[in-house]
Amino acid sequence: KYMDSYKTPLGELQIEVFGHASLLFKINGMNIYIDPYSEVCSFEGKPKADAFLITHNHYDHYDINAIAPIEKDDSKFIVGPNVGEIDERYIVLNNGDGITWNGIDVTAVPSYNINRRNEEGNHFHPKGVGNGYIIDIQGFRIYVAGDTEPIPEMSEIKDIDIAFIPKNLPYTMTDEEFISCANQIKPKYLYPYHYFTLDVEELRKGVDPEIKILNR
């Protein structure tokens, strides 16, 4: 768990990484949680959420036990189609949809498996049911990839300041795939996330040296 700080046109952005795929973005007095997960930490006593971005409905991304202590009556939920509209606070974005919320543009982008399947032969993350997100803070752009392999649609993701890219098998990427995605997207700052094990030095050997890999 740590906090990093960035300058954006809307003011200082603080990013807290809780572990797994759980993140908190604090900006302009707002708290935006992404995929809070109760097994990485307790969310009791954490700042209340103005918005949640939920990538998909797997228990480690859409976790009611993590959401309950931090949600408010007017928390906004921006979710993928397999979460669905639970109540009137939920806004369902399909891949390609976008919403503007308090000066921040959120666009849902594809996040899925091409090769990796479960024992029944189905993709762990089928195309079209989960989202990655591009969060555009008046030109300062963050890409949260969600649970995905390298996919063709990543070639359209440009001008990214910060990227969160997953790295774990069998659900998302190998180290080599992670490196290839990083070099294609070329963010200024890169956070490996959603990993079981991490060798940052090994990743640095393959990732473009102009990309700053952040991990504590």
Side-chain angles (χ1 to χ4, degrees):
K1 297 168 199 166
Y2 52 88
M3 192 85 81
D4 288 328
S5 178
Y6 300 90
K7 290 190 171 70
T8 84
L10 258 189
E12 183 190 14
L13 166 69
Q14 290 183 313
I15 294 180
E16 189 164 355
V17 178
F18 298 112
H20 202 61
S22 298
L23 311 169
L24 168 60
F25 296 169
K26 303 176 79 157
I27 185 160
N28 208 17
M30 297 179 288
N31 299 308
I32 303 165
Y33 285 87
I34 298 172
D35 290 352
Y37 180 36
S38 56
E39 288 191 27
V40 293
C41 69
S42 167
F43 286 87
E44 295 287 345
K46 300 269 187 232
K48 295 288 188 184
D50 296 290
F52 293 92
L53 297 186
I54 305 293
T55 56
H56 62 295
N57 71 356
H58 287 171
Y59 71 93
D60 54 336
H61 295 264
Y62 181 56
D63 178 359
I64 299 299
N65 294 325
I67 289 168
I70 49 177
E71 71 178 321
K72 303 187 291 186
D73 290 343
D74 62 350
S75 297
K76 190 73 72 188
F77 286 79
I78 298 168
V79 301
N82 68 358
V83 176
E85 187 178 353
I86 310 295
D87 60 42
E88 69 282 351
R89 298 174 299 170
Y90 282 65
I91 296 167
V92 180
L93 298 185
N94 292 301
N95 293 170
D97 291 348
I99 183 175
T100 300
W101 175 80
N102 288 355
I104 297 170
D105 294 319
V106 178
T107 304
V109 294
S111 178
Y112 63 93
N113 289 115
I114 295 174
N115 301 307
R116 308 217 157 91
R117 301 171 185 266
N118 61 23
E119 290 172 0
E120 288 78 48
N122 301 312
H123 288 118
F124 289 112
H125 304 93
K127 186 173 183 177
V129 300
N131 291 335
Y133 292 105
I134 293 176
I135 300 142
D136 190 325
I137 305 171
Q138 299 181 7
F140 186 94
R141 289 163 56 81
I142 305 164
Y143 172 47
V144 178
D147 280 9
T148 188
E149 287 177 39
I151 52 174
E153 293 89 343
M154 285 179 181
S155 66
E156 298 164 27
I157 294 174
K158 311 276 189 203
D159 305 319
I160 297 296
D161 292 285
I162 303 172
F164 291 85
I165 297 176
K167 193 201 79 62
N168 70 329
L169 291 177
Y171 309 105
T172 63
M173 301 192 199
T174 65
D175 286 16
E176 293 71 28
E177 288 169 332
F178 175 95
I179 288 166
S180 122
C181 284
N183 290 337
Q184 180 180 35
I185 293 163
K186 283 198 167 35
K188 296 188 178 103
Y189 300 94
L190 171 63
Y191 290 80
Y193 86 145
H194 200 302
Y195 54 80
F196 298 131
T197 59
L198 188 68
D199 184 339
V200 173
E201 293 316 311
E202 202 55 41
L203 296 179
R204 282 203 176 101
K205 290 177 189 172
V207 170
D208 184 322
E210 290 187 7
I211 300 169
K212 185 172 182 189
I213 301 179
L214 289 153
N215 186 259
R216 305 287 187 273

